[in-house]
Amino acid sequence: MKVHDTKKIYKLDLIAVKIRKHIIEMLYKSKSGHPGGSLSAVDALVALYFVHMKHNPKKPCEPNRDRFILSKGHAAPALYAVLAECGYFNVKELTKLRTMNSMLQGHPVCTYVPGVEASTGSLGHGLSFANGVAIAGKLDNKEYNVYAMLGDGETGEGQIWEAAAVASHYKLDNLTALIDRNFLQIDGNTEDVLRLESVRDRWNAFGWNVIEINGHDIKQILDSLNKANAHKRQPSIIILNTTKGKGVSFMENNVDFHGVPPNEMERNLAIEELNLAQKKLEALL
Amino acid sequence: MSNKIMVNPRNAYGEALIELGKKYKNLVVLDADLSKSTKTIMFAKKYPKRFLEMGIAEANMITAAAGLASCGKIPFVSTFAVFATGRVYDQIRMDIAYSKANVKIFATHGGISVGKDGVSHQMIEDIALMRVLPNMTVIAPSDAIQTGKIVHLMAEKNGPMYARVGRANAPLIYGKNDLNDIELGKGMTVETGSDISIIAYGTMVEPALEARKILSKENIKARVIDMHTIKPLDEKLVLKCAKETNAIITAEEHSVIGGLGAAVAEILAEKNISTKFLRMGIKDIFCESGEPVDLLEKYELNTKHMVKNAKKLLKN
């Protein structure tokens, strides 16, 4: 990797830290929300929105845009922070998460928030929505790509597998799913709650092109997105091997932080850690 | 009955889709392995690229339709009423109603007159399920001519909509030019009368017209309303009926809970209107397999029972 490439990645890592800080502040302020799955999804969102996707925050409805659908809607804070940092709306809005009269509902709503494509939160829907978008793209000979991020626990929903079958049947190679494989869901380890392994074999069996990477390595994420786009006649899925709560030591791999926000002390500790990570990255630039 | 022209509303749906396919290049049709029954196959043959066979995977079909709508398509989604509503309630709620997606769900095989397939394929809760959803328009056409007109109206107007027809052939009620003024949300007075109003939709409109004929021989003048749009309900017309006639009967091939009867009762109660009132529908029970005519007799949803109920109600 060239030096300027390395620096480019560091800059993206820095954005990811900033997003994580937003998430902690938002959840602390609203006193509710899902830290674990928001933090694990950040790096992929940064790679998509700050580099890979073709989109214009000033024209959120532009017909040729790439689309991203957050099927695991409880990671809304991560998506909101990314959209705000991209310029879809004012960063100040983020402090209103989950409060009355705010467009930032607990789970994303497409009719309220510029840049939100689908109203999610009821698990299992997003990949189907992405199917519709991808089919429309094929019908209209459009160049856009559609991305859907799934939770790993979410793939327990039957609708995911309906969508998996249909996407493969229609050879939707303009569709890429990303699965946030952090191995934790509310009731515990995914393999104890409802076994998912082998994730790779399942998607392979449904006729998908499967790519497996470190879901916190932005360089790997960008490379895999390019590979997914280049792969023809099959939809692709990127298994993002991630850590739930990534970036905040005491939240990492801690299922208690699935849906519980940080208290004041936890928030201070988390911000301290993230500030440290920020300084380290800034020193490298 | 023998001199009546019988036409299947499902065929009218198929034909309307072909006309609309020509008019709207962005119209697409989705089905879940029932295209021969729902008649979307007619569209599929004419516009194969815009017909999307989604397989026996209704949840995905509903949400995918919302995705298509988000890209400017007008998706018509069809399957049997039982699979088009109850099975996919959460998908309709989140992705269509809440998201205000321009998706048109057109269900066939509504009601109990599906017949011998039994309860798994009969649907008597769909109107209630769809009516309770904000943003949703709920429609049930009564004959083939009206079905064709309504399918056009559904395509023209933006927003989430649910429509249902039955399985069986249905006698024509309207002539080609009777419905030039038809509007969604506006009930139609098919026949006038001053003693009792029978407010019905779908498969119950024609039996109501037959009941009117029988009642008139006994000097009872029945008004027949075709309330093709159950939501938004034509409140004005309901109030007019309450004011101008001495009793109201609602009739629907649906549970008495949550459907047209409930909607009319809600209006009458809230407006403090005291009138003789009866809901005809399935009385909070599951039905069974059987010939449609036998089912409608056993569960008291035919002309004979309308006449009986009208006389009883007026006598009380």
Side-chain angles (χ1 to χ4, degrees):
Chain A
M1 200 159 59
K2 291 174 198 157
V3 178
H4 70 269
D5 283 345
T6 318
K7 284 207 170 166
K8 190 179 142 194
I9 299 299
Y10 287 152
K11 276 182 188 165
L12 293 166
D13 286 337
L14 204 54
I15 296 172
V17 171
K18 201 172 182 182
I19 301 297
R20 288 191 163 93
K21 281 164 73 177
H22 278 312
I23 292 169
I24 296 298
E25 295 290 11
M26 289 162 84
L27 296 179
Y28 170 65
K29 186 106 197 293
S30 75
K31 294 191 166 43
S32 79
H34 300 80
S38 297
L39 292 169
S40 63
V42 169
D43 301 294
L45 285 171
V46 168
L48 281 163
Y49 276 93
F50 288 88
V51 183
H52 189 77
M53 286 205 307
K54 186 172 70 203
H55 69 117
N56 181 351
K58 301 291 163 235
K59 290 181 183 166
C61 297
E62 208 283 316
N64 295 313
R65 71 191 183 282
D66 286 340
R67 272 89 162 164
F68 173 80
I69 289 124
L70 185 67
S71 194
K72 46 172 286 184
H74 53 285
L79 178 62
Y80 293 157
V82 165
L83 289 174
E85 283 294 340
C86 284
Y88 279 90
F89 52 85
N90 196 312
V91 174
K92 283 179 189 160
E93 283 291 319
L94 295 178
T95 60
K96 298 179 191 158
L97 173 75
R98 290 180 172 236
T99 58
M100 296 290 287
N101 303 315
S102 167
M103 68 175 184
L104 301 184
Q105 296 289 298
H107 295 82
V109 184
C110 65
T111 50
Y112 292 179
V113 190
V116 169
E117 301 285 349
S119 305
T120 53
S122 181
L123 293 176
H125 293 210
L127 194 58
S128 298
F129 193 95
N131 273 350
V133 173
I135 291 170
K138 292 276 179 197
L139 284 173
D140 294 342
N141 293 315
K142 296 230 185 254
E143 296 286 312
Y144 65 71
N145 286 297
V146 52
Y147 304 91
M149 183 184 277
L150 320 176
D152 52 356
E154 180 185 10
T155 62
E157 293 284 2
Q159 186 178 356
I160 292 288
W161 301 101
E162 291 186 8
V166 170
S168 157
H169 181 80
Y170 276 88
K171 302 184 174 68
L172 299 178
D173 51 19
N174 53 352
L175 166 62
T176 298
L178 301 101
I179 179 166
D180 187 1
R181 184 69 175 119
N182 59 34
F183 275 90
L184 287 175
Q185 58 191 106
I186 303 178
D187 274 355
N189 187 294
T190 56
E191 301 316 284
D192 297 331
V193 176
L194 180 60
R195 182 168 54 81
L196 297 177
E197 289 299 331
S198 155
V199 172
R200 175 184 277 276
D201 289 350
R202 286 186 181 196
W203 290 89
N204 255 326
F206 271 76
W208 286 59
N209 170 44
V210 183
I211 303 168
E212 190 169 356
I213 58 158
N214 175 349
H216 299 306
D217 182 330
I218 292 184
K219 172 83 170 60
Q220 279 191 37
I221 300 168
L222 290 171
D223 289 345
S224 64
L225 287 168
N226 286 330
K227 274 185 203 155
N229 290 160
H231 190 89
K232 294 300 162 200
R233 297 184 68 74
Q234 274 183 308
S236 291
I237 182 160
I238 301 170
I239 302 172
L240 301 164
N241 285 312
T242 57
T243 302
K244 196 149 184 164
K246 177 73 180 178
V248 177
S249 62
F250 58 91
M251 289 185 176
E252 286 189 3
N253 287 319
N254 182 352
V255 78
D256 294 339
F257 280 103
H258 172 91
V260 178
N263 61 28
E264 193 180 350
M265 193 188 77
E266 289 160 348
R267 172 253 186 192
N268 292 342
L269 274 174
I271 294 294
E272 211 172 290
E273 281 188 17
L274 290 165
N275 281 338
L276 203 67
Q278 187 177 332
K279 276 186 192 137
K280 275 188 189 166
L281 282 165
E282 281 166 351
L284 294 168
L285 288 169
Chain B
M1 293 286 279
S2 57
N3 57 346
K4 283 183 181 153
I5 304 166
M6 305 293 282
V7 184
N8 200 304
R10 290 180 283 140
N11 283 322
Y13 171 53
E15 281 161 19
L17 283 181
I18 290 174
E19 291 160 16
L20 289 165
K22 192 179 171 192
K23 191 172 173 189
Y24 299 102
K25 299 293 170 211
N26 55 340
L27 188 140
V28 293
V29 177
L30 294 81
D31 207 307
D33 196 37
L34 287 170
S35 66
K36 288 174 195 162
S37 298
T38 64
K39 303 299 173 190
T40 58
I41 196 166
M42 294 162 76
F43 182 89
K45 282 182 178 159
K46 182 85 179 168
Y47 300 106
K49 278 187 186 160
R50 284 192 276 152
F51 174 76
L52 304 167
E53 172 59 77
M54 301 303 273
I56 306 172
E58 291 87 359
N60 178 64
M61 172 168 76
I62 292 288
T63 309
L68 283 154
S70 81
C71 298
K73 301 291 176 199
I74 308 173
F76 271 77
V77 185
S78 285
T79 178
F80 293 173
V82 67
F83 311 128
T85 57
R87 189 182 187 96
V88 292
Y89 188 73
D90 183 46
Q91 286 72 23
I92 297 175
R93 179 178 179 270
M94 284 303 296
D95 307 324
I96 297 178
Y98 185 39
S99 301
K100 297 180 183 168
N102 191 27
V103 173
K104 317 299 178 183
I105 302 168
F106 191 97
T108 66
H109 295 61
I112 57 166
S113 57
V114 171
K116 295 194 170 179
D117 277 341
V119 169
S120 62
H121 285 59
Q122 293 165 349
M123 192 25 148
I124 55 169
E125 310 102 63
D126 57 336
I127 302 296
L129 287 171
M130 294 299 104
R131 194 168 81 86
V132 78
L133 287 172
N135 303 328
M136 186 63 87
T137 297
V138 184
I139 312 162
S142 58
D143 80 345
I145 301 284
Q146 197 188 58
T147 299
K149 287 273 183 192
I150 278 177
V151 176
H152 277 86
L153 293 178
M154 289 172 78
E156 280 162 24
K157 201 177 162 193
N158 189 57
M161 293 186 196
Y162 173 74
R164 70 111 102 148
V165 293
R167 169 177 180 262
N169 290 336
L172 283 188
I173 297 169
Y174 304 106
K176 282 254 182 249
N177 299 318
D178 289 348
L179 300 173
N180 293 334
D181 300 329
I182 188 169
E183 276 179 55
L184 296 179
K186 213 168 163 205
M188 297 169 43
T189 307
V190 191
E191 292 289 354
T192 56
S194 52
D195 293 322
I196 187 167
S197 300
I198 304 175
I199 306 178
Y201 64 76
T203 48
M204 288 296 111
V205 176
E206 198 273 339
L209 290 167
E210 288 301 308
R212 179 181 183 271
K213 283 183 199 162
I214 295 168
L215 289 166
S216 75
K217 286 176 192 155
E218 302 184 37
N219 221 11
I220 296 170
K221 298 179 191 71
R223 176 184 299 189
V224 176
I225 304 291
D226 181 341
M227 197 63 91
H228 51 73
T229 309
I230 299 103
K231 184 186 170 185
L233 188 67
D234 189 343
E235 291 192 19
K236 260 192 190 164
L237 186 57
V238 172
L239 296 173
K240 192 166 179 271
C241 290
K243 199 176 163 192
E244 294 174 356
T245 64
N246 301 316
I248 290 178
I249 287 179
T250 58
E252 57 193 318
E253 218 182 296
H254 185 272
S255 170
V256 289
I257 298 172
L260 173 69
V264 169
E266 286 158 14
I267 291 169
L268 295 176
E270 278 192 343
K271 301 282 176 185
N272 245 334
I273 289 164
S274 171
T275 184
K276 291 177 177 178
F277 176 65
L278 179 78
R279 294 170 300 161
M280 286 183 70
I282 306 299
K283 296 165 186 168
D284 196 22
I285 45 167
F286 288 112
C287 300
E288 65 192 284
S289 290
E291 287 291 349
V293 63
D294 297 333
L295 287 166
L296 294 168
E297 169 58 22
K298 177 169 177 181
Y299 296 97
E300 303 182 357
L301 274 177
N302 56 17
T303 297
K304 185 181 106 187
H305 285 96
M306 282 182 196
V307 170
K308 203 172 90 184
N309 285 331
K311 291 200 310 204
K312 205 169 138 193
L313 193 62
L314 286 170
K315 212 179 275 175
N316 284 345

